[in-house]
Coordinates of all heavy atoms in Angstrom, one line a residue:
R14 N 315.1 178.6 182.0 CA 314.5 177.3 182.3 C 314.2 177.1 183.7 O 315.1 177.4 184.6 CB 315.5 176.2 181.8 CG 314.8 175.2 180.9 CD 315.9 174.3 180.3 NE 315.2 173.2 179.7 CZ 315.7 172.1 179.3 NH1 317.0 172.0 179.4 NH2 315.0 171.2 178.7
R17 N 314.0 171.4 187.2 CA 313.1 170.3 187.4 C 312.7 170.2 188.8 O 311.6 169.9 189.2 CB 313.7 169.1 186.8 CG 312.7 167.9 186.8 CD 313.3 166.8 186.0 NE 313.4 167.1 184.6 CZ 313.9 166.3 183.7 NH1 314.3 165.1 184.0 NH2 314.0 166.7 182.4
A28 N 299.6 170.3 195.3 CA 298.8 169.1 195.6 C 298.5 169.1 197.1 O 297.4 168.8 197.5 CB 299.5 167.8 195.2
F36 N 287.2 169.4 204.5 CA 286.2 169.6 203.5 C 285.0 168.9 203.8 O 285.0 167.9 204.5 CB 286.7 169.2 202.1 CG 287.4 167.9 202.0 CD1 286.6 166.7 202.0 CD2 288.7 167.7 202.1 CE1 287.2 165.5 201.9 CE2 289.3 166.5 202.0 CZ 288.5 165.4 201.9
G91 N 291.4 158.5 206.6 CA 291.2 159.8 205.9 C 292.5 160.3 205.3 O 292.5 160.9 204.2
V102 N 295.7 165.2 191.8 CA 295.8 166.6 191.5 C 297.2 166.9 191.0 O 297.4 167.6 189.9 CB 295.6 167.5 192.8 CG1 296.0 168.9 192.5 CG2 294.1 167.4 193.2
P135 N 288.5 174.9 193.3 CA 287.2 174.7 193.9 C 286.7 173.2 193.7 O 285.8 172.8 194.5 CB 286.3 175.7 193.2 CG 287.2 176.7 192.7 CD 288.4 176.0 192.3
A147 N 293.1 164.3 185.6 CA 294.3 163.7 185.1 C 294.1 163.1 183.7 O 295.0 163.2 182.8 CB 294.8 162.6 186.1
L253 N 275.3 171.3 189.3 CA 274.8 171.4 187.9 C 274.2 172.8 187.6 O 273.5 172.9 186.7 CB 273.7 170.3 187.7 CG 274.2 168.9 187.8 CD1 273.1 167.9 187.6 CD2 275.3 168.6 186.8
F264 N 287.6 180.8 187.1 CA 287.1 180.2 185.9 C 286.8 181.3 184.9 O 287.3 181.3 183.7 CB 285.9 179.4 186.1 CG 285.1 179.1 184.8 CD1 285.6 178.1 184.0 CD2 284.0 179.8 184.5 CE1 284.9 177.8 182.8 CE2 283.3 179.5 183.3 CZ 283.7 178.5 182.5
G285 N 290.5 176.3 165.1 CA 290.6 175.1 166.0 C 290.8 175.4 167.4 O 290.1 174.8 168.3
A317 N 301.1 178.6 173.8 CA 301.7 179.0 172.5 C 301.5 180.5 172.2 O 302.5 181.1 171.7 CB 301.0 178.2 171.3
A320 N 304.0 182.2 174.3 CA 305.4 182.0 173.8 C 305.6 183.0 172.7 O 306.8 183.5 172.5 CB 305.5 180.6 173.3
D328 N 309.0 190.5 178.5 CA 309.9 190.0 179.5 C 309.3 188.8 180.3 O 308.2 188.9 180.8 CB 310.3 191.1 180.5 CG 311.4 190.6 181.5 OD1 312.6 190.8 181.1 OD2 311.0 190.2 182.6
A374 N 277.1 156.0 216.7 CA 277.3 155.1 217.9 C 276.1 154.9 218.7 O 275.8 153.8 219.2 CB 278.4 155.8 218.8
G383 N 267.2 148.4 210.4 CA 266.1 148.4 209.3 C 265.9 149.7 208.7 O 266.8 150.6 208.6
S398 N 278.4 153.7 207.3 CA 278.6 153.4 208.7 C 277.7 152.2 209.2 O 278.2 151.5 210.1 CB 278.3 154.6 209.5 OG 279.2 155.7 209.1
Q412 N 270.5 159.5 190.4 CA 269.9 158.6 189.4 C 269.7 157.1 190.0 O 269.5 156.2 189.2 CB 270.9 158.5 188.2 CG 270.9 159.9 187.5 CD 272.0 159.9 186.5 OE1 272.2 159.0 185.7 NE2 272.7 161.0 186.4
R460 N 256.7 166.6 217.8 CA 256.9 166.0 219.1 C 255.7 165.1 219.5 O 255.9 164.2 220.3 CB 257.2 167.0 220.2 CG 258.6 167.6 220.1 CD 258.9 168.5 221.3 NE 258.9 167.6 222.5 CZ 258.7 168.1 223.7 NH1 258.5 169.4 223.9 NH2 258.7 167.3 224.7
N489 N 265.8 157.7 226.9 CA 266.6 158.6 226.1 C 266.0 159.9 225.6 O 266.7 160.7 225.1 CB 267.0 157.8 224.8 CG 268.0 156.6 225.1 OD1 269.0 156.8 225.7 ND2 267.5 155.4 224.7
A504 N 265.9 177.9 231.5 CA 266.4 178.2 232.8 C 265.2 178.7 233.7 O 265.2 178.5 234.9 CB 267.4 179.3 232.7
D560 N 278.6 186.5 221.6 CA 277.6 187.4 222.1 C 276.6 186.7 223.0 O 276.2 187.2 224.0 CB 276.9 188.1 220.9 CG 277.8 189.1 220.2 OD1 278.8 189.4 220.7 OD2 277.4 189.4 219.0

Side-chain angles (χ1 to χ4, degrees):
R14 235 173 165 187
R17 184 169 298 179
F36 49 80
V102 169
L253 296 181
F264 166 78
D328 186 87
S398 304
Q412 295 172 41
R460 287 189 61 201
N489 292 301
D560 289 344

